[in-house]
Amino acid sequence: MTATATRPQDAAPPAARAKRAPKRERQGAAWVFLSPWVIGATVLTLLPMAVSLYLSFTDYDMFDAPQWVGLRNYTQMFTEDPRYWRSVITTLTYVVIAVPFQLVLALAVAIALKSVKRGKGFYRSAFYAPSLLGASMSIALVWRAIFNDGGTVDNLLSGVGIDIGGWINKPGWAILSVALLTIWQFGAPMVIFLAGLQQIPAELYEAAAVDGASWWRQFRSITIPMLSPVLFFNLVLQMIQAFQVFTPAFAVSAGKGGPADSTLVYTLYLYDRAFTASHMGYASAMAWALLLAIGVVTAVLFRTSRAWVFYANDNNEGAR
């Protein structure tokens, strides 16, 4: 009588085999439902990124075959192109103006809405509407008309004796008009701030009021620390979006970045190199430099957040 070799899976109890089959079925179903996202991410994101990275090391004009040039695009960008550095400075100026003022305005409106008893939904929708409309080219063109010579802002300021003229025609004022359009779109961070404010326990404010704390002391010692994770989230999100600003600068300057390159933000110059000058390889190098810069800024924000962002479990961890 010969002994029959038994495979490990055959030796497993029937109950174990019955459990493995549904698990494999669940994994297969999960991949079926995930497949649209995986295909979309691969075809629309990962593959274009890989092609862009390759093109950044080539001389490519979209008509002839790419010619490998190594690091020439990067060295030209950093050492031989003064307009590139003007676009960097313009973008940093825009970010420094737009992001802090937008967050301050969003927080102020959120605090005001928190105390509203009636019509909160209407006011929330009204303040959120600019975030939906402001990114469109039509609103940007209206903004250009408002800040142009003889526009609404020019007429209002002239009426009170301030004769500046059209902001979009003044190198020192043009970038401010672009930043104001972003500041006006404070609805999205406002809604997030409002949700965070509603999570702060009312008992903290009641105890502070009993101790005689003023409104400013309550805001500084309770609101800001308790809201710091939400503030950090909004800061990172708006900072990343600000570095990629394009539509307002394109509309205000008619795609030229003027006057005197005062509205030549980074993405507008990237667009100019890619589709006006047909230097797609150079534009790809600019895109990767922007990606790395945003990554560095985000990493710095996360690193410094340890000093001013406080989470609910911080005290518990410290007690351990």
Side-chain angles (χ1 to χ4, degrees):
M1 186 175 181
T2 58
T4 303
T6 304
R7 291 179 298 177
Q9 58 268 31
D10 295 336
R17 293 199 301 270
K19 289 181 179 179
R20 282 200 299 265
K23 183 177 180 180
R24 287 194 295 267
E25 293 176 0
R26 289 195 299 269
Q27 291 176 346
W31 280 109
V32 169
F33 285 108
L34 285 173
S35 59
W37 181 89
V38 173
I39 295 173
T42 302
V43 175
L44 300 178
T45 302
L46 297 180
L47 184 59
M49 288 181 65
V51 173
S52 173
L53 181 61
Y54 165 73
L55 291 178
S56 70
F57 297 102
T58 66
D59 182 11
Y60 180 51
D61 60 2
M62 297 189 293
F63 300 101
D64 301 318
Q67 301 293 324
W68 184 266
V69 295
L71 296 175
R72 191 180 74 184
N73 288 327
Y74 292 94
T75 55
Q76 179 183 351
M77 184 170 57
F78 292 129
T79 62
E80 303 175 14
D81 189 353
R83 291 196 78 198
Y84 172 81
W85 288 109
R86 282 200 295 272
S87 71
V88 171
I89 294 173
T90 301
T91 303
L92 291 176
T93 303
Y94 166 84
V95 171
V96 169
I97 296 174
V99 174
F101 281 97
Q102 185 190 50
L103 294 182
V104 169
L105 182 59
L107 180 57
V109 175
I111 293 174
L113 286 181
K114 183 186 176 184
S115 59
V116 173
K117 301 301 182 182
R118 301 180 60 181
K120 182 179 292 187
F122 168 77
Y123 290 115
R124 186 186 305 172
S125 301
F127 284 117
Y128 185 76
S131 294
L132 300 176
L133 303 175
S136 65
M137 179 61 73
S138 58
I139 296 297
L141 291 175
V142 171
W143 206 262
R144 172 184 171 87
I146 291 174
F147 286 91
N148 208 342
D149 287 330
T152 305
V153 174
D154 186 17
N155 292 333
L156 289 176
L157 293 178
S158 298
V160 295
I162 303 176
D163 189 12
I164 297 178
W167 289 23
I168 64 173
N169 298 318
K170 301 290 188 299
W173 292 87
I175 192 62
L176 181 58
S177 65
V178 176
L180 285 176
L181 179 55
T182 299
I183 296 170
W184 179 64
Q185 303 172 48
F186 64 88
M190 178 211 68
V191 171
I192 299 174
F193 276 135
L194 185 59
L197 288 170
Q198 292 173 344
Q199 299 302 315
I200 301 177
E203 293 81 3
L204 296 177
Y205 294 104
E206 294 172 358
V210 170
D211 291 338
S214 62
W215 177 89
W216 173 250
R217 182 59 185 271
Q218 293 180 32
F219 175 78
R220 186 167 56 90
S221 301
I222 298 177
T223 304
I224 293 299
M226 295 295 292
L227 203 63
S228 58
V230 179
L231 179 60
F232 174 66
F233 174 80
N234 272 333
L235 177 61
V236 172
L237 203 63
Q238 299 307 315
M239 188 78 71
I240 292 174
Q241 292 180 357
F243 274 106
Q244 303 175 74
V245 62
F246 174 78
T247 302
F250 183 89
V252 167
S253 67
K256 305 298 183 181
D261 288 345
S262 60
T263 59
L264 187 69
V265 294
Y266 196 97
T267 53
L268 183 57
Y269 187 48
L270 189 154
Y271 171 86
D272 175 78
R273 293 294 88 194
F275 299 105
T276 302
S278 297
H279 293 167
M280 188 60 70
Y282 189 84
S284 298
M286 287 185 62
W288 277 94
L290 177 62
L291 176 64
L292 293 176
I294 292 176
V296 170
V297 171
T298 304
V300 170
L301 289 176
F302 271 92
R303 183 69 177 179
T304 57
S305 67
R306 301 176 182 179
W308 61 275
V309 178
F310 306 97
Y311 296 97
N313 60 349
D314 282 351
N315 292 333
N316 295 335
E317 291 179 354
R320 292 174 191 167

